[in-house]
Every structure is written in structure tokens, then in C-alpha cells.
Amino acid sequence: SDAPTGAALAASAGSTALEEAGLQRQREEEEWKVAKAIMEEQREDEREREEHRCQHDAEARVAKTAEARALQQPVEENETHADDPAAYSPANDVGGVAALPIQIAEEALESMSKKELVLLVQRIATAQVLQANQLSGNPNNVAKKASKEKIVKAYAAIYD
């Protein structure tokens, strides 16, 4: 009579099946938690990369803006610098004769962007030269329309 009855065996098998199902569910929940943690970590890494990329882009824009402003800065009276493309200013005119900066080497001109070249030419050329070479107007628009070769030729013509 110590032998388990059919009902006891069925109850025991049922509870074992429930325990097994409960353990399976716990394993699945743990696996889900691990997967969720990994996905969250990947999202955080992506957020950090994006933040770094945005910060780098912002720093590049600030540097580019500072560089553009440096090109547009007026020069102190009678002060010129051979390596400064913005060295000419109407304030440097002495007795009606413009004090042009020392001509920049052609290799240096080739390394400049079209917009930088347009800004340079617009700073030192007369209105007639700019109009004759179709280089007057908004530097962004002029840089889009004019070829680099045309801008460099206009720059060289200023010194001829």
C-alpha cells in the first residue's frame, strides 16, 4: 500500500510538468532580460557615437566659421600680411593708391576653396574688375557659378 496510486502519480506528473514549465519560463525571462540589456547597451553606444559625431560636426562648423570670419576681418590701418588673404582693406588706401597685399603663391591659391578665393578677390579687386569677370555679388553664389580657374585668373590679373 506504499505504492502510489494512479491519481497520485498523475498529480505528481502534473506538478513536475508545472515546475518544468515554470523553470522554462524563468529561463526565457532571463534570456529576454539579457537580450534587452544587450540591445540597450547597443542603443547607448549608438547614442554616444551620434553625440560624438554631432559634436565633431559642430566643432568643424565653428572652425570653418572662424576661418571664414578671419578671411573677412578688416585689417588694421596700413597693416598687411603676405600669408593673410584678407590683408587688403580700403582703409589701407594711401593717397588714392590701393596698398595691395603681397601676392599669394599659385600653389597656395590652388589649395584654397572657391569661396575663399572669391572672398579674397572681392576684398582686393575693384568693382569694375569684379563686374568684368562676373565675380561680384554674394560669395556663395559666385563660388557656385564661377570656375576656380576663372577666379585664379582674375586674382592674377589684379597684380598684372
Side-chain angles (χ1 to χ4, degrees):
S1 108
D2 283 342
T5 63
L9 285 175
S12 174
S15 68
T16 304
L18 286 175
E19 288 174 8
E20 190 64 36
L23 290 173
Q24 179 64 28
R25 184 172 179 182
Q26 283 180 336
R27 281 192 295 271
E28 289 172 356
E29 286 177 358
E30 287 176 15
E31 288 173 1
W32 173 247
K33 286 178 184 177
V34 169
K36 189 175 177 182
I38 290 171
M39 290 178 359
E40 186 58 39
E41 188 175 309
Q42 289 173 340
R43 281 191 208 114
E44 184 61 31
D45 288 347
E46 182 59 33
R47 276 189 224 114
E48 287 176 7
R49 281 193 297 276
E50 183 64 25
E51 185 177 303
H52 177 73
R53 193 172 21 255
C54 289
Q55 183 178 1
H56 176 73
D57 291 349
E59 288 170 357
R61 281 193 302 276
V62 167
K64 192 171 185 175
T65 301
E67 185 178 310
R69 285 185 181 148
L71 287 173
Q72 296 173 349
Q73 286 292 323
V75 178
E76 296 298 320
E77 189 172 332
N78 295 325
E79 179 184 345
T80 59
H81 301 284
D83 60 342
D84 181 4
Y88 172 75
S89 170
N92 291 346
D93 288 356
V94 179
V97 177
L100 289 176
I102 296 172
Q103 188 171 2
I104 297 173
E106 190 170 334
E107 300 82 37
L109 292 174
E110 292 300 324
S111 69
M112 295 172 73
S113 70
K114 287 190 344 180
K115 183 178 177 184
E116 291 171 327
L117 288 170
V118 169
L119 287 169
L120 172 64
V121 171
Q122 287 183 344
R123 297 279 309 206
I124 63 176
T126 63
Q128 294 89 355
V129 170
L130 293 175
Q131 290 171 350
N133 290 289
Q134 298 176 334
L135 297 175
S136 60
N138 182 322
N140 290 328
N141 295 337
V142 173
K144 288 178 189 175
K145 293 180 182 180
S147 70
K148 191 169 190 174
E149 183 178 307
K150 180 179 181 177
I151 302 166
V152 171
K153 282 183 182 178
Y155 176 78
I158 294 169
Y159 289 91
D160 292 340

